[in-house]
Amino acid sequence: MKSDQVRQQFLDFFASKEHAIVPSSPVVPHDDPTLMFTNAGMNQFKDVFLGAGSRSYARAADTQKCIRAGGKHNDLDDVGQDTYHQTFFEMLGNWSFGDYFKREAIAWAWELMTEVWGIEKDRLHATYFEGDEAEGLEPDSEAATLWREVTDIKHDHIHPGNKKDNFWEMGDTGPCGPCSEIHIDLTPDKSGAPLVNAGHADVIELWNLVFIQYNRGPDGKLTLLPAKHVDTGMGFERIAAVLAGKKSNYDTDVFTPIFDSIRQRCGAGAYAGSLPGDDKSGKVSREQMMTDITYRVIADHLRCLTFAITDGAMPSNEGRGYVLRRILRRAVRYGRQYFDMHEPFLCDLVAPLVGQMGHVFGELKDGPDARHARDNVAHVVDVIRDEEASFLKTLDRGIRLFDEAAEQAVKHHHGRISGEDAFKLHDTYGFPVDLTELMAEERGLTIDFGEYERLMEQAREKARSTAQFRAGAAVDVEPFPTTHFEGYSQLDCASEVVGVLVRAGDDMRPAGLLNAGDEGIVLVNNTSFYAEKGGQVGDRGRISANDGSWDFVVETVSDQDGRYLHVGRCVKGEICVGGAASCKVDPVQRQPTMNNHTSTHILNWSLREVLGTHVQQKGSLVDAEKTRFDLSHPKPISADELARIEELTNEQIAANHKVYTQEVDQAMARKINTLRAVFGEKYPDRVRVVSIGAPIGDEANPDSDTLLGSPDGPKWMQYSVEFCGGTHVAETAEAERFVLTSEEGVAKGIRRVVGITGGAAREAEATGQALMDRVAKLADAAADQLTAGLNDLQRDVNAATIPVRITTALRDKIAELQKIAKKHEKEQAGASAGDVMARVQELFGSAETVAGAAVVVGEVPSAPADALRGAIDWVRQKTEASAVVLACHDGGKVTLVAGVSKDLVGKGVKAGDIIKETAPVVGGKGGGRPDLAQGGGSEPSKIGDAMSHARQWIVDKLGG
């Protein structure tokens, strides 16, 4: 049975039982902070189970995308090591929300498995919860009885199970309850009863029927839920294997198409399905065993990454993002060490995967928001390619360090990688420690985790203390007077030093002096430096003695209880309390920051004008380089909407509105029509109001509380009035120009836009137009130049800061040209492959035979490496023993491919060694597997010398 049939039959069965067939929820639970990834089908119904939500149906079924990597449920370490674990999988499930319970759930599960799918009844085993005295939980004797009453399962196939196996919990908190699992015995003689719940590949769990009765609170205690529910989950990949007559999930049509793509992209040997330990038992070679593990790891991790990134997750250094980065680097390491992949390759496997699964999960093609479709394949490919390229920069050096550490562990007979080496691999080369542990296990080694954790904690503490110091945190400010801020009207002001603190290790302490070279904090009575708050960064600049005797560079400023902490370094002289000084803010940083801040206020108005009044500010960051604005909006902002937002913002900037500011009572200020304030933000009783285009009160009487919108107030432009303590331009035209450079989702219902102003905006537009001109010229480029031109252009587009509207247009035009280029390449590949075969046939006809082996060596017409590998396969089919080395060039780049039959490998003639010997002759390098290897170089004129060298090396090895 095909896997698509299995999925559909499951859904049809429960539709016949009056279940609503619902779509899968995203694999990234943006609205549930207690979950790293969606790990079960019930996650989307958590609110129903808790009594906090409801649905229009009481019964449901679906196939749910799940990831179990990190958190309570984590299968990452098992992937590749067996035949049935994956980090990403589909879970077939059915639910009852206070409707049916154990009787129907058990009866229907048995009916589907034995009557619809025809699984042998005497191969099935059922488990039930045996109780837990510590939790005060009784055995689930009701389930045990129902298995005997409503099914014809053999009674000795009903087994009790402990809390670990038969009490299901979604996470550390949340809905939970006893469960009844259905296992299948795959042993030849059906003798697997003792292996139930033993984690053995011959007896595996297929379906888990969870009877949700409890909720586990943050205190760990269980309480009864308002209603009883059924939540079942069956691993789609496992049941597909059973119904296809396979013992391995990876032998089904769920995975074989991916394996085919991996083999074609990586030039890997055939998949044989071996498992760890098969090399020691003599079933396969170690090389074949590692090849098979690598296939499983890459296929699983590709699925996990593609679905997670599609649903909004991004690789990063924390949380679920770090889990994804670990998964990606795990796959890249396997590909590098066992498939000899020196360049990004996972990214090239995304499109084939989407082609295979996109008919089931349409978001793989069009993105998670059906109302605003995107080229999701391109998005996922870009993310994965960038992550691969970043890790590959340090991967080889990290592998060398690991090899050295492993040699030391063996040499000194302790069998352990030092914690210092493990920490260095993590800190310097980006190796997650579980990846290092995996590499160690492959060599029969362990890691000194105690030393590793000690070094990690030292690094964390150092980072924490540095961050606290930079922010001026944890300082006792009570002894110091409050600071008077004069920076709204001037960048320079006279002041007096009222406090000095010096950094001593990880602490800060009051000091009599701050000497040259010391890091520390300076407090003054008056300052022109803006302290970081309200989304605007703190100012930079200098505080200097009036007599020139000392100088302090200010790196940032924070406000702690009205005291401004100027954080930085003394670069000259000695600073002491009482010294007369001058505060001088760096105008190069302040002016663009003000441009960006005022433009942010106008942007806030423009967003509501275009998207609707539902838009609320959810966060912002304003610095000298950009403004970053988070807003509530349920869907991606379209290209037309972004263009209109940008247009409106520029209209208001060009109108050169005056920017008014005034402090007023908060209660009165909140009466201003269209006033904007950030939801949840706490404001003081006296607030500063910023209005663009109209005065806040009576201009003739600035201290008056006559407000905009009040009966006595002046006529005003109703668009931008906000609470704001930040610094702003006097007139909007100072910002010159505004450009949006990016738009993305950061959480469910939250979008993020980034904009730039002034000269940076104009430069971005000019750069964007130049790139548009380049893509227009490429439309007329010759076929042999189009691909290279597109690659160069794509690289420059990715690196450039340009308007997002231009980025969208460029990507559309590049995609059109890429289709044309691929068509040309396909036509050229067909022609060049024919030329290569013709040449290889000539070489084969004149090849010499040495020690019974055909030695075919020579230059062939320019062609992709795939064509050369295909020609090598042809020679292998024509001979019992052969060694083939082929070379070609495209005018600048040399490609070398070598292939050796397996019997010659046993005689010491290895393709990887041939390439290592030959590639340096053409100014390059390479390597690979014993039977197939590839390399390159940059000196086409020396191909003849290289071929002669290769031929002689092979002859010498064969004893000719």
Side-chain angles (χ1 to χ4, degrees):
M1 189 183 295
K2 299 294 185 183
S3 59
D4 280 350
Q5 293 175 280
V6 175
R7 186 190 294 110
Q8 194 59 50
Q9 286 185 1
F10 176 88
L11 297 176
D12 290 345
F13 176 82
F14 281 102
S16 73
K17 305 294 184 185
E18 300 180 338
H19 287 62
I21 306 303
V22 299
S24 171
S25 64
V27 80
V28 179
H30 294 292
D31 54 354
D32 189 345
T34 68
L35 277 179
M36 182 172 288
F37 294 105
T38 298
N39 59 22
M42 63 82 66
N43 292 165
Q44 66 171 305
F45 303 117
K46 183 178 175 181
D47 61 325
V48 180
F49 295 140
L50 290 173
S54 63
R55 298 293 187 273
S56 60
Y57 41 82
R59 302 177 180 184
D62 80 348
T63 179
Q64 171 65 50
K65 304 173 293 185
C66 296
I67 291 178
R68 291 187 175 177
K72 186 177 182 67
H73 301 280
N74 184 3
D75 290 338
L76 178 59
D77 292 340
D78 294 322
V79 172
Q81 305 302 307
D82 60 27
T83 61
Y84 54 92
H85 276 102
Q86 293 96 41
T87 57
F88 172 85
F89 62 96
E90 291 179 58
M91 182 175 284
L92 302 172
N94 60 287
W95 294 271
S96 164
F97 309 123
D99 186 27
Y100 64 83
F101 201 44
K102 297 179 184 179
R103 174 178 292 271
E104 293 85 351
I106 291 172
W108 289 339
W110 188 254
E111 179 185 351
L112 177 61
M113 299 196 86
T114 62
E115 296 180 23
V116 177
W117 284 337
I119 299 175
E120 295 176 77
K121 296 178 181 180
D122 57 356
R123 285 197 178 276
L124 297 177
H125 293 255
T127 63
Y128 67 93
F129 179 49
E130 67 183 11
D132 188 277
E133 187 175 344
E135 292 270 14
L137 295 170
E138 296 293 326
D140 189 4
S141 55
E142 179 186 6
T145 300
L146 285 169
W147 274 109
R148 297 184 181 94
E149 291 181 354
V150 302
T151 78
D152 55 354
I153 190 173
K154 295 174 67 174
H155 289 191
D156 61 352
H157 281 204
I158 303 171
H159 313 273
N162 58 27
K163 180 184 171 187
K164 174 181 177 293
D165 294 316
N166 283 90
F167 192 89
W168 196 91
E169 302 190 60
M170 181 179 64
D172 294 330
T173 62
C176 53
C179 63
S180 187
E181 296 177 340
I182 303 174
H183 297 249
I184 187 165
D185 179 357
L186 299 174
T187 60
D189 58 356
K190 304 177 185 179
S191 61
L195 300 177
V196 172
N197 274 340
H200 196 284
D202 284 340
V203 179
I204 59 174
E205 172 201 338
L206 289 181
W207 203 345
N208 191 3
L209 315 180
V210 181
F211 310 121
I212 294 183
Q213 303 169 227
Y214 305 101
N215 180 61
R216 189 176 294 280
D219 60 357
K221 294 182 179 178
L222 293 173
T223 56
L224 284 170
L225 289 169
K228 295 179 180 180
H229 312 285
V230 171
D231 159 34
T232 85
M234 173 162 49
F236 166 66
E237 292 80 2
R238 290 188 185 182
I239 191 64
V242 169
L243 297 179
K246 308 290 185 182
K247 290 192 68 172
S248 168
N249 296 0
Y250 293 96
D251 290 338
T252 70
D253 64 347
V254 176
F255 285 96
T256 51
I258 308 175
F259 283 6
D260 288 342
S261 299
I262 293 170
R263 179 181 54 77
Q264 293 169 13
R265 175 62 183 87
C266 301
Y271 177 74
S274 63
L275 294 171
D278 285 353
D279 59 328
K280 295 178 181 178
S281 64
K283 292 181 181 179
V284 296
S285 66
R286 175 172 173 77
E287 179 186 358
Q288 182 64 59
M289 181 188 73
M290 295 311 302
T291 292
D292 294 341
I293 291 173
T294 301
Y295 265 110
R296 292 191 289 267
V297 168
I298 292 174
D300 169 78
H301 291 6
L302 169 71
R303 283 166 29 112
C304 180
L305 291 164
T306 300
F307 276 90
I309 295 169
T310 292
D311 282 347
M314 292 289 285
S316 68
N317 283 329
E318 57 186 26
R320 67 168 63 99
Y322 185 57
V323 173
L324 291 184
R325 182 163 284 170
R326 287 165 51 203
I327 290 171
L328 183 143
R329 293 184 173 186
R330 195 172 187 262
V332 171
R333 198 280 302 190
Y334 269 102
R336 173 67 188 87
Q337 285 200 280
Y338 300 110
F339 286 170
D340 196 37
M341 299 306 297
H342 292 262
E343 68 282 334
F345 68 94
L346 282 175
C347 55
D348 297 328
L349 301 172
V350 173
L353 174 65
V354 173
Q356 176 193 345
M357 302 192 70
H359 70 290
V360 181
F361 301 103
E363 61 272 22
L364 290 175
K365 297 178 179 179
D366 302 322
D369 190 338
R371 294 167 298 175
H372 295 274
R374 70 183 185 201
D375 184 352
N376 185 67
V377 175
H379 166 67
V380 176
V381 166
D382 287 346
V383 172
I384 292 179
R385 181 189 292 114
D386 289 347
E387 282 289 317
E388 285 189 89
S390 175
F391 186 41
L392 284 168
K393 291 176 182 176
T394 60
L395 178 57
D396 282 343
R397 284 177 289 165
I399 290 174
R400 284 196 294 271
L401 172 61
F402 176 84
D403 288 342
E404 293 170 3
E407 288 175 9
Q408 290 298 311
V410 173
K411 180 180 179 180
H412 296 291
H413 306 292
H414 52 63
R416 188 166 61 177
I417 305 294
S418 74
E420 182 179 0
D421 285 328
F423 174 76
K424 187 175 181 181
L425 282 165
H426 171 274
D427 192 55
T428 305
Y429 299 106
F431 281 46
V433 70
D434 55 344
L435 176 57
T436 304
E437 182 182 23
L438 179 64
M439 295 169 67
E441 288 174 354
E442 291 173 359
R443 305 257 191 120
L445 304 172
T446 61
I447 295 175
D448 185 345
F449 276 102
E451 184 183 23
Y452 168 79
E453 286 297 339
R454 180 179 60 79
L455 293 170
M456 282 295 295
E457 185 54 36
Q458 286 180 4
R460 294 188 196 104
E461 183 56 39
K462 183 177 181 180
R464 283 193 294 266
S465 65
T466 299
Q468 288 177 346
F469 178 76
R470 291 295 175 203
V475 175
D476 181 10
V477 297
E478 278 300 316
F480 307 109
T482 57
T483 310
H484 177 63
F485 177 60
E486 300 182 5
Y488 288 133
S489 58
Q490 58 196 56
L491 297 182
D492 301 349
C493 76
S495 62
E496 179 182 326
V497 177
V498 297
V500 173
L501 295 94
V502 65
R503 179 171 187 173
D506 293 335
D507 298 320
M508 291 162 286
R509 56 178 175 79
L513 292 174
L514 199 62
N515 297 304
D518 286 344
E519 288 184 319
I521 293 173
V522 171
L523 296 94
V524 292
N525 60 345
N526 303 311
T527 187
S528 51
F529 285 87
Y530 181 80
E532 180 173 354
K533 67 181 110 172
Q536 180 177 328
V537 299
D539 282 330
R540 298 194 300 263
R542 288 177 180 265
I543 303 176
S544 305
N546 287 349
D547 61 6
S549 61
W550 57 264
D551 202 5
F552 183 80
V553 174
V554 179
E555 297 173 355
T556 188
V557 185
S558 64
D559 179 356
Q560 192 166 318
D561 296 333
R563 285 82 167 175
Y564 280 37
L565 308 181
H566 303 79
V567 181
R569 181 187 297 272
C570 179
V571 295
K572 175 185 174 183
E574 298 176 343
I575 307 174
C576 60
V577 174
S582 296
C583 294
K584 298 181 179 181
V585 174
D586 179 4
V588 175
Q589 183 231 8
R590 170 68 82 85
Q591 183 61 50
T593 302
M594 294 193 300
N595 294 347
N596 290 337
H597 203 155
T598 302
S599 297
T600 303
H601 284 220
I602 302 174
L603 171 65
N604 194 355
W605 168 78
S606 299
L607 288 163
R608 296 195 311 280
E609 285 290 300
V610 175
L611 302 179
T613 55
H614 65 279
V615 169
Q616 297 288 333
Q617 180 177 344
K618 293 298 182 181
S620 66
L621 171 66
V622 177
D623 58 26
E625 287 74 39
K626 66 185 177 301
T627 174
R628 191 184 73 200
F629 193 90
D630 294 347
L631 62 139
S632 57
H633 189 59
K635 58 187 178 182
I637 305 173
S638 71
D640 289 343
E641 289 170 334
L642 289 168
R644 181 58 179 155
I645 291 164
E646 200 176 272
E647 180 182 24
L648 286 179
T649 304
N650 279 310
E651 285 177 2
Q652 301 306 328
I653 288 174
N656 202 22
H657 297 300
K658 186 175 180 180
V659 179
Y660 297 88
T661 63
Q662 187 172 327
E663 283 196 4
V664 296
D665 286 339
Q666 181 186 152
M668 291 292 292
R670 288 191 178 275
K671 298 177 182 179
I672 300 176
N673 190 19
T674 72
L675 175 93
R676 307 300 296 179
V678 178
F679 177 76
E681 187 79 15
K682 292 184 178 180
Y683 295 98
D685 293 336
R686 193 79 175 166
V687 293
R688 185 169 182 262
V689 178
V690 175
S691 169
I692 299 176
I696 296 163
D698 185 349
E699 286 190 278
N701 182 12
D703 295 328
S704 166
D705 278 349
T706 301
L707 301 174
L708 292 171
S710 69
D712 301 324
K715 188 175 181 180
W716 56 291
M717 293 186 63
Q718 298 187 22
Y719 72 89
S720 181
V721 186
E722 299 187 29
F723 289 162
C724 181
T727 59
H728 289 269
V729 297
E731 297 175 325
T732 58
E734 291 180 43
E736 298 182 36
R737 187 75 179 162
F738 178 82
V739 160
L740 287 169
T741 59
S742 72
E743 188 275 341
E744 63 180 347
V746 293
K748 186 175 182 179
I750 305 295
R751 309 302 298 178
R752 171 173 292 170
V753 292
V754 176
I756 55 177
T757 61
R762 296 189 185 281
E763 182 180 348
E765 289 181 308
T767 301
Q769 187 56 54
L771 291 168
M772 288 294 290
D773 293 342
R774 281 176 58 186
V775 79
K777 291 179 181 178
L778 278 175
D780 299 322
D784 59 346
Q785 298 175 352
L786 184 55
T787 298
L790 284 172
N791 289 340
D792 290 344
L793 178 62
Q794 185 67 68
R795 183 193 64 237
D796 293 345
V797 169
N798 292 341
T801 299
I802 56 178
V804 66
R805 54 184 160 81
I806 294 181
T807 301
T808 301
L810 280 167
R811 285 178 177 165
D812 290 344
K813 291 184 179 295
I814 289 172
E816 292 175 9
L817 292 176
Q818 283 174 334
K819 291 179 181 178
I820 296 172
K822 286 180 180 178
K823 182 179 178 182
H824 289 328
E825 288 174 2
K826 189 174 181 180
E827 293 171 352
Q828 180 60 35
S832 60
D835 294 340
V836 169
M837 280 304 304
R839 174 58 177 152
V840 169
Q841 287 169 1
E842 292 177 9
L843 293 171
F844 181 68
S846 60
E848 61 181 307
T849 301
V850 181
V855 180
V856 182
V857 180
E859 183 176 0
V860 298
S862 179
D866 283 347
L868 275 62
R869 286 193 286 266
I872 290 173
D873 286 340
W874 179 84
V875 174
R876 285 174 173 170
Q877 293 170 7
K878 294 290 183 180
T879 63
E880 293 184 3
S882 62
V884 187
V885 185
L886 303 178
C888 68
H889 70 90
D890 58 7
K893 179 184 176 183
V894 176
T895 299
L896 300 170
V897 180
V900 177
S901 56
K902 290 188 177 180
D903 56 333
L904 294 192
V905 171
K907 297 178 181 180
V909 182
K910 298 180 181 179
D913 293 341
I914 295 172
I915 293 297
K916 288 177 183 177
E917 284 286 331
T918 307
V921 179
V922 291
K925 60 182 179 180
R929 304 196 315 269
D931 62 324
L932 185 66
Q934 183 175 332
S938 57
E939 300 180 44
S941 62
K942 296 185 178 179
I943 287 179
D945 295 340
M947 295 297 93
S948 297
H949 183 74
R951 180 181 291 104
Q952 189 59 51
W953 188 89
I954 295 169
V955 170
D956 291 345
K957 279 288 184 179
L958 291 173

